[in-house]
Amino acid sequence: MKEITASMAGTVLNIFAKEGDQINPGQEVLMLESMKMEIPIESGVEGVVKEVKVNIGDFVNEGDVLLVLG
């Protein structure tokens, strides 16, 4: 299993991927807000989304798992 993690602490603003979606390297999968800035989270790997571990409005810390790819 491959994991996409938060690059910094912030609040989940939007989720662009859902379970079953094919994800490619460089594709934006989620948008975080931190210090009033929007931070796009991109996948570094290819895979199919097996699980979305966060919801819009959740606060995440750096390193938290956001999505699991298979």
Side-chain angles (χ1 to χ4, degrees):
M1 292 289 180
K2 305 165 202 161
E3 298 176 335
I4 298 174
T5 58
S7 56
M8 62 175 28
T11 302
V12 178
L13 271 185
N14 208 340
I15 302 169
F16 306 123
K18 62 185 183 308
E19 291 180 16
D21 284 357
Q22 174 67 41
I23 301 298
N24 297 309
Q27 182 176 339
E28 284 187 16
V29 294
L30 194 138
M31 185 70 69
L32 290 180
E33 178 185 32
S34 181
M35 299 180 290
K36 300 188 181 187
M37 293 176 26
E38 292 184 0
I39 294 92
I41 303 299
E42 297 178 350
S43 176
V45 295
E46 182 178 341
V48 175
V49 178
K50 295 293 182 192
E51 185 179 2
V52 178
K53 301 193 71 72
V54 295
N55 294 300
I56 293 174
D58 287 354
F59 181 82
V60 296
N61 289 301
E62 182 178 348
D64 285 356
V65 176
L66 306 172
L67 288 96
V68 176
L69 306 180

